[in-house]
Amino acid sequence: MKEAQIRNHLYGAGILVIQHSAELETKIRLVGYEVPIWWRGKQRDECIDLLGYDEYYHPWIIELKQAGSTERLQKAVEQVTRYAIAFEEGIKEGIEIEIKKRYLWPQFSFEGSVEKMILADRKYYKKQKITPDKRDDIIFCSFSRCKDEDSLLKSRTPDIKLKIEKLKSNLPRP
C-alpha cells in the first residue's frame, strides 16, 4: 500500500521540517506511527498516522493522505481533530512513559497543546473541491522539492522538507 510506504519512509527519515518562510522553520521529531487510540474503553478505535514533537515539545499529530486518496479533506480534518482529543484524553501519558523508557529519557514530557497537520501530496489538495471551515488549528502541508510520491520514496535525506499549502481554510501561522 502506497500510504504505508510513504509513512514508513517518513518515519525512517525521522525529522519533518515545515518551511514557514526562508527564515522560519519548525522541525518535528517523529516518535511513532500507526499509534493506536484506545480512548473508549478497551476497544481499539483508530490510529494516528504519525506522531512527533517539536523543539518546544509540543506534540504533533499528523494525518497522512496519498495523492490518489478519494477521501474528502473535510473527513481528514475531522479525523485529525478526533485524534487530538483522544491523545489528550487517553493516550498522552502512556506515550510519554513509553518514550521515557524506550529512549532512556526520564525527563521527557509533552508540553503545551497538540499541534495538528494534514500531510499530503500536492495532487491530493488540487483535487479537493470543498475546503473545510476556516481552521487556524490545523496546518496543511505537502512535500517540498518532490514532484510526486515516487520521487519522495526514492529520496534518502536525513529530514523531509514540507511546504505549507495555501488553502482558503488556512490562516497564517506565527
Side-chain angles (χ1 to χ4, degrees), residues 50-145:
L50 292 166
L51 176 69
Y53 63 89
D54 63 24
E55 67 182 306
Y56 303 105
Y57 302 100
H58 296 134
W60 279 82
I61 293 177
I62 302 164
E63 178 63 18
L64 186 61
K65 295 295 173 203
Q66 67 179 20
S69 175
T70 57
E71 191 172 275
R72 288 186 19 226
L73 185 56
Q74 183 60 39
K75 184 174 180 188
V77 167
E78 292 166 3
Q79 282 178 298
V80 77
T81 301
R82 260 193 332 274
Y83 299 170
I85 294 167
F87 180 83
E88 288 290 355
E89 292 180 353
I91 63 171
K92 177 181 174 180
E93 187 177 311
I95 291 172
E96 286 175 333
I97 290 168
E98 186 174 338
I99 290 171
K100 288 175 185 185
K101 289 179 181 178
R102 182 166 297 204
Y103 297 109
L104 305 174
W105 190 1
Q107 303 85 359
F108 180 84
S109 71
F110 292 112
E111 301 293 332
S113 60
V114 176
E115 300 287 342
K116 300 177 285 270
M117 178 194 305
I118 296 173
L119 176 56
D121 187 285
R122 282 177 232 129
K123 291 175 188 168
Y124 172 79
Y125 290 115
K126 285 180 183 174
K127 65 184 179 182
Q128 295 301 314
K129 298 196 181 356
I130 301 172
T131 57
D133 297 333
K134 289 191 184 265
R135 303 287 301 253
D136 62 352
D137 63 329
I138 299 173
I139 189 167
F140 301 89
C141 290
S142 64
F143 306 108
S144 180
R145 302 178 189 154

Side-chain angles (χ1 to χ4, degrees), residues 28-53:
I28 301 168
R29 173 66 173 108
L30 298 176
V31 293
Y33 67 91
E34 285 299 304
V35 177
I37 299 170
W38 302 79
W39 69 311
R40 289 182 231 148
K42 296 188 183 232
Q43 292 183 341
R44 178 178 167 185
D45 292 322
E46 299 173 286
C47 291
I48 297 169
D49 287 341
L50 292 166
L51 176 69
Y53 63 89

Side-chain angles (χ1 to χ4, degrees), residues 9-22:
H9 180 78
L10 297 174
Y11 184 75
I15 302 280
L16 301 178
V17 181
I18 304 168
Q19 296 177 300
H20 300 275
S21 68

